[in-house]
């Protein structure tokens, strides 16, 4: 499922991915300290996310219960593709070069990248 999320929608979705289902009241309480959002903002965002097919709700005893329909990994994959295309013209090598130049890679970073590349190479054989 291809769904483009705004930064604010990512914030709300991250909350739902961590714990679901949640009511509007629970989401407001969880997000207000970090974002300052009130109940009406949460309601508006949930309506947009439902229209995008990213969340759904069921009727609870006293309130609607919201849960993600969009898988976190799928959303991250789509966001990464979009970012790579916009910023680096689709060039993974250019992105990696920029990342390496911007900071020193730790041994753990290098080990993680090596494992990812080895896994990718193994899948294509």
């Amino acid at each position: 499922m291809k769904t483009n999320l705004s930064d604010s929608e990512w914030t709300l979705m991250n909350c739902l991915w961590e714990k679901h289902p949640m009511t509007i009241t629970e989401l407001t309480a969880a997000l207000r300290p970090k974002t300052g959002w009130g109940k009406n903002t949460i309601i508006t965002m949930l309506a947009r996310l439902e229209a995008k097919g990213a969340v759904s709700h069921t009727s609870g005893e006293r309130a609607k219960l919201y849960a993600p329909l969009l898988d976190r990994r799928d959303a991250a994959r789509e966001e990464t593709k979009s970012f790579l295309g916009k910023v680096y013209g689709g060039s993974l090598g250019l992105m990696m070069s920029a990342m390496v130049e911007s900071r020193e890679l730790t041994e753990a970073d290098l080990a993680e990248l090596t494992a990812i590349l080895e896994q990718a190479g193994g899948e294509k054989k």
Side-chain angles (χ1 to χ4, degrees), residues 8 10-39 41-42 45-46 66:
S8 296
W10 271 100
T11 300
L12 192 146
M13 289 299 296
N14 279 321
C15 190
L16 280 176
W17 283 319
E18 291 300 317
K19 180 185 175 214
H20 61 273
M22 293 180 80
T23 65
I24 291 169
T25 301
E26 290 169 332
L27 281 164
T28 303
L31 292 168
R32 180 174 272 143
K34 185 164 102 171
T35 64
W37 297 339
K39 182 179 176 180
T41 300
I42 302 292
M45 289 179 62
L46 286 168
Y66 289 86

Side-chain angles (χ1 to χ4, degrees), residues 16-114:
L16 280 176
W17 283 319
E18 291 300 317
K19 180 185 175 214
H20 61 273
M22 293 180 80
T23 65
I24 291 169
T25 301
E26 290 169 332
L27 281 164
T28 303
L31 292 168
R32 180 174 272 143
K34 185 164 102 171
T35 64
W37 297 339
K39 182 179 176 180
N40 289 334
T41 300
I42 302 292
I43 291 169
T44 300
M45 289 179 62
L46 286 168
R48 276 195 228 136
L49 287 166
E50 278 194 287
K52 290 181 175 187
V55 301
S56 68
H57 75 271
T58 56
S59 295
E61 287 184 33
R62 296 176 45 121
K64 291 180 181 177
L65 297 168
Y66 289 86
L69 289 177
L70 181 62
D71 180 74
R72 179 182 256 168
R73 285 180 180 239
D74 290 342
R77 192 175 303 112
E78 286 301 320
E79 184 75 13
T80 301
K81 280 188 214 174
S82 174
F83 174 78
L84 185 61
K86 281 189 271 191
V87 178
Y88 297 104
S91 171
L92 182 60
L94 184 58
M95 181 184 79
M96 293 302 297
S97 177
M99 288 176 64
V100 169
E101 290 173 8
S102 71
R103 68 182 186 100
E104 285 187 36
L105 295 176
T106 66
E107 289 296 322
D109 292 335
L110 292 172
E112 184 178 8
L113 287 170
T114 299

